[in-house]
Amino acid sequence: MTRSPGGGAVPTRIKYVGADGDGIGDHPDGSRLYVPLTVPGDVVRARPVSRRGDGWLAEIDAIVEAGSGRRPPVCVHFGLCGGCSSQHWDETAYLEWKTGRLAAALRRAGFDEPVMAPIVRGTPGTRRRMDLAVRRGTGTLLVGLHQARDSDIVDLTECAVLHPELFALIAPLRPVLSSLAAVRREASVEVNLLDSGPDVLLRSDGELTTRDRTKLTDFARALDLPRVSWALGEAMPETVCLLRPPVTMLSGVTITPPPGAFLQATREAEAAIIAAVLDGLPAKRPARARALELFSGIGTISFALAQRIRVLAAEGDEALVTACHNGINQAGLMGKLEAKRRDLARQPFQANELAGFTIVILDPPHGGAAAQMPPLAQAKVPTVIYVSCDPVSLGRDAAVLRGAGYRLEKVTPIDQFLWSARLEAVAVFRIGR
């Protein structure tokens, strides 16, 4: 174990907040201190606890002087729960920090003065995806979120981020999960709030027994859930109980997502993403113009695009592609929208394949689309619209486009991940002047 310098708490003034949401100050020996739960201008006594890069991760021992952007957090679990990192910020300062991170990442990519639309603000109590950790102890069952930088679980008694309909499931879940033989030591519960109600997926470390299945079915009936599914660890889920079709609407098309499917975290953010993508489509385009959408999921953006332009949607997850394909058939969109399975990390579209497209839209995972960017830049598709959930990976990938002669027309920040360090953004790039 690396010993911290001096061993005790030291005074420091927080100069700014970094990419992970930690305040950054100086140790008296000249090294950096990364201090979670601080804001710029805070003067704190901080206790170094472990090495981190060029400095030390530290804990607050005492707040000597509060910075002007500090406010009381809204949740009793804040500071321990790893779900939120920024509830202690004044909203104006918090939003400026998020947009500042995005602008800085784009400047590093070579776009000196990025044109930024006003940030779409997040709203408490609107998150429609819930991923709970479950751990059985001696006489107890913890259900909640992991602690910040720790594997321990915070047993949730309140949450200011989750939609109330999702949070209301936690209390009745506890006795059911506690009684299941399938939950030996650890489990997780993933819930998507669909238009038809909460869609529940249990992943356990033990096999589901016949009695377990009966209990889960009774649970679904008691809470009027459309579907409850189960999987052993990371195996493919199976349906335990289906009371009605688990469906959600995407741009007027009814979709049945697979259990645990990725949805945008809030409906408001989904609408803002779609609006920014559609706004980024070129006003003038060839009569037979085609768009390629990469990392298309269940079709969140695809179905909206198909109302404006012919679309090929590519996604690596077979279950998501199947859900999208079924929606296409039911909505009669054949010829306007095609869904195709393709592993874009191992088999990115090459420049010759991209030549026939007027527009490429990509919505990659947190790590970005590193494998796809070089052939995309080489192809010089006239318009590229990049939907990102991480300013760092967006900046890295945008630099490839900048090197190929693309200009950044506009970027729209969307605070989908409320009170966290993450930020959604939609960036529109055009080739040439």
Side-chain angles (χ1 to χ4, degrees):
M1 178 177 177
T2 306
R3 295 181 62 83
S4 60
V10 297
T12 191
R13 179 180 291 273
I14 301 302
K15 297 183 292 185
Y16 60 95
V17 172
D20 294 328
D22 299 336
I24 298 175
D26 293 326
H27 191 278
D29 70 0
S31 61
R32 283 186 175 185
L33 290 174
Y34 298 89
V35 191
L37 312 180
T38 55
V39 302
D42 274 350
V43 178
V44 300
R45 289 187 60 80
R47 188 180 306 277
V49 293
S50 62
R51 259 322 235 191
R52 177 173 169 183
D54 59 353
W56 299 88
L57 178 64
E59 296 176 345
I60 297 175
D61 189 66
I63 298 175
V64 178
E65 179 184 335
S68 60
R70 180 173 284 277
R71 72 162 193 183
V74 298
C75 178
V76 68
H77 298 299
F78 181 72
L80 183 63
C81 176
C84 293
S85 61
S86 308
Q87 284 187 15
H88 61 304
W89 272 42
D90 168 81
E91 182 179 357
T92 299
Y94 158 76
L95 294 177
E96 287 177 349
W97 167 64
K98 283 204 162 182
T99 55
R101 283 189 59 221
L102 177 60
L106 291 169
R107 283 195 295 268
R108 286 193 296 270
F111 300 99
D112 294 335
E113 296 182 7
V115 177
M116 193 170 301
I119 189 169
V120 179
R121 296 162 60 183
T123 306
T126 58
R127 184 177 175 89
R128 60 174 174 175
R129 286 180 11 220
M130 179 170 70
D131 191 348
L132 299 172
V134 179
R135 183 171 298 158
R136 191 185 295 279
T138 305
T140 63
L141 186 83
L142 299 177
V143 181
L145 300 179
H146 287 110
Q147 294 183 15
R149 299 179 175 85
D150 203 313
S151 62
D152 288 346
I153 295 173
V154 176
D155 203 41
L156 286 184
T157 59
E158 64 178 71
C159 182
V161 174
L162 285 174
H163 191 288
E165 193 171 347
L166 289 187
F167 183 77
L169 290 176
I170 296 177
L173 263 172
R174 295 179 197 276
V176 174
L177 294 173
S178 183
S179 70
L180 297 181
V183 180
R184 295 175 179 172
R185 170 62 178 163
E186 295 187 343
S188 68
V189 180
E190 303 169 28
V191 189
N192 280 327
L193 183 56
L194 307 180
D195 291 343
S196 57
D199 183 29
V200 177
L201 168 60
L202 167 66
R203 293 186 179 276
S204 68
D205 57 356
E207 290 282 354
L208 211 62
T209 67
T210 302
R211 290 188 63 186
D212 288 345
R213 293 176 184 274
T214 299
K215 290 174 182 178
L216 289 174
T217 300
D218 291 344
F219 173 73
R221 288 174 174 157
L223 278 81
D224 193 29
L225 306 177
R227 176 175 65 184
V228 173
S229 307
W230 166 80
L232 179 62
E234 296 302 313
M236 288 292 293
E238 62 176 83
T239 299
V240 175
C241 175
L242 182 65
L243 298 185
R244 61 181 178 278
V247 297
T248 199
M249 294 284 286
L250 298 176
S251 299
V253 177
T254 300
I255 296 293
T256 302
F262 173 82
L263 301 178
Q264 296 296 341
T266 72
R267 296 181 191 277
E268 294 80 3
E270 178 184 282
I273 291 168
I274 291 172
V277 169
L278 295 181
D279 184 63
L281 298 178
K284 296 181 179 180
R285 38 186 196 271
R288 296 186 62 79
R290 294 179 69 210
L292 172 64
E293 185 190 355
L294 306 175
F295 310 97
S296 56
I298 59 172
T300 299
I301 300 172
S302 316
F303 291 106
L305 281 172
Q307 298 173 15
R308 306 281 187 92
I309 189 171
R310 289 187 303 143
V311 183
L312 171 60
E315 165 61 46
D317 187 306
E318 183 174 9
L320 299 182
V321 174
T322 298
C324 183
H325 184 72
N326 290 340
I328 292 169
N329 289 339
Q330 292 173 17
L333 291 173
M334 293 77 72
K336 294 183 178 179
L337 174 59
E338 178 187 357
K340 179 178 182 179
R341 184 187 179 192
R342 182 152 170 170
D343 186 334
L344 296 169
R346 297 183 178 181
Q347 192 184 4
F349 277 75
Q350 298 303 307
N352 63 319
E353 298 177 279
L354 297 167
F357 295 98
T358 307
I359 305 153
V360 170
I361 302 98
L362 59 163
D363 184 5
H366 187 269
Q372 184 60 71
M373 299 312 294
L376 180 56
Q378 182 184 354
K380 298 190 185 302
V381 175
T383 296
V384 174
I385 303 176
Y386 194 124
V387 183
S388 166
C389 63
D390 177 55
V392 174
S393 58
L394 171 61
R396 181 203 65 210
D397 291 347
V400 180
L401 296 177
R402 180 70 179 87
Y406 282 84
R407 59 183 172 83
L408 174 62
E409 184 171 276
K410 184 171 69 172
V411 60
T412 303
I414 301 167
D415 188 25
Q416 175 163 217
F417 309 103
L418 186 63
W419 296 318
S420 80
R422 296 179 65 189
L423 178 66
E424 195 83 20
V426 179
V428 180
F429 300 90
R430 312 270 193 220
I431 192 72
R433 295 184 179 275

